[in-house]
Amino acid sequence: MKWQGEYCFGPTWIAFRGISAENHLHAHAAMQLVVGKNITVTDNTTFEKQGDGWLIPSGIKHRIIASSPIVILLVDPDSLFANALKPTKTNSSMVINLSSKIIDALLADTTLDITINKLQIQYQEGNDEIDPRLRAAITFLNTIDKRPTVESISIEIGLSVSRLRALSVQYFGIPFSKIIMWKQVNLAFRSLAQNASLADAAYNAGFADQAHFTRILRDTIGVTPGQTQNINKP
């Protein structure tokens, strides 16, 4: 079974609304919000949570089980949007319940892009000031069309690779290499939304080849490109 529904993009997010299908255990750099009716979020071993809305922080290995339509929102971890939505430090490594306010907002009977944009307006201010060196690394990353390396970014901002990694883990809970990978996946999805072939989407995003794209997508989103072929941009 394939995922069926619609997706749309903003500058710092990807959203999906529709019927989910099988997804493998995965962990992504993005912060994830998922809402619907009686959704199960599990890692098959240490936790299994059931409810109507969950926030899954960056780097948490999980998979989603749902028998009814859902809305998924993946937010760039370095964005003000994610910074405003993120849990408290005590819950930064835990899957937590979403508030009824956010659940209701994501389930609103409007087009998907309007739904997410309205939510973003409510959560547009960040709560913490990100280290300016890490912000410089993010800014440089966002100016590059294809995937750079952690080493090249470290050189650009004048930090060691280990220090950049430590700052990224401190502020986002994941190493900077995962941030780069998420940007790459986001770029590939944008190419697919413009009717690019899987091979062209992989190339445009800087993946080595289509097989590399497939492997990374499964590891970071939990699905393969073929499982998304019934997902259309509204």
Side-chain angles (χ1 to χ4, degrees), residues 10-11 16 20 28 37 57 63 119 177:
F16 164 81
S20 63
H28 35 66
K37 182 67 175 177
R63 69 186 186 97
L119 181 67
S177 60

Side-chain angles (χ1 to χ4, degrees), residues 11-213:
T12 61
W13 51 265
I14 296 174
F16 164 81
R17 178 165 58 192
I19 303 297
S20 63
E22 179 182 2
N23 55 104
H24 304 277
L25 280 173
H26 61 285
H28 35 66
M31 174 184 292
Q32 179 171 347
L33 283 69
V34 54
V35 301
K37 182 67 175 177
N38 197 26
I39 300 166
T40 297
V41 179
T42 179
D43 70 354
N44 293 341
T45 54
T46 59
F47 73 84
E48 179 174 300
K49 298 174 180 286
Q50 293 183 326
D52 294 339
W54 299 101
L55 187 152
I56 305 167
S58 303
I60 302 297
K61 198 165 189 178
H62 67 282
R63 69 186 186 97
I64 296 169
I65 304 168
S67 58
S68 58
I70 61 174
V71 176
I72 291 176
L73 174 62
L74 298 169
V75 185
D76 283 7
D78 56 287
S79 66
L80 289 177
F81 193 11
N83 200 37
L85 290 168
K86 72 181 180 180
T88 62
K89 293 185 182 298
T90 56
N91 289 324
S92 61
S93 62
M94 297 172 58
V95 176
I96 64 170
N97 289 97
L98 286 172
S99 69
S100 59
K101 179 181 178 181
I102 294 179
I103 292 174
D104 290 343
L106 287 172
L107 293 178
D109 187 20
T110 58
T111 62
L112 186 57
D113 57 339
I114 290 176
T115 294
I116 306 304
N117 284 324
K118 283 185 176 180
L119 181 67
Q120 186 168 17
I121 289 171
Q122 296 177 43
Y123 292 89
Q124 61 186 348
E125 296 299 330
N127 297 322
D128 299 317
E129 184 63 33
I130 294 176
D131 187 287
R133 295 166 295 178
L134 186 55
R135 178 61 66 190
I138 299 284
T139 299
F140 179 62
L141 173 61
N142 288 336
T143 66
I144 300 174
D145 290 334
K146 290 193 176 181
R147 184 186 182 190
T149 63
V150 177
E151 289 77 12
S152 65
I153 292 179
S154 297
I155 292 171
E156 177 68 22
I157 65 172
L159 279 181
S160 67
V161 170
S162 60
R163 185 55 184 153
L164 178 56
R165 184 186 190 282
L167 283 173
S168 184
V169 170
Q170 176 185 345
Y171 282 89
F172 304 138
I174 51 174
F176 201 80
S177 60
K178 298 294 186 182
I179 303 289
I180 292 175
M181 188 176 296
W182 165 247
K183 298 289 186 182
Q184 193 179 15
V185 168
N186 191 310
L187 183 58
F189 264 104
R190 290 176 183 273
S191 292
L192 289 174
Q194 296 172 356
N195 299 318
S197 67
L198 293 179
D200 286 343
Y203 175 79
N204 292 339
F207 290 101
D209 50 36
Q210 186 174 325
H212 183 211
F213 174 36

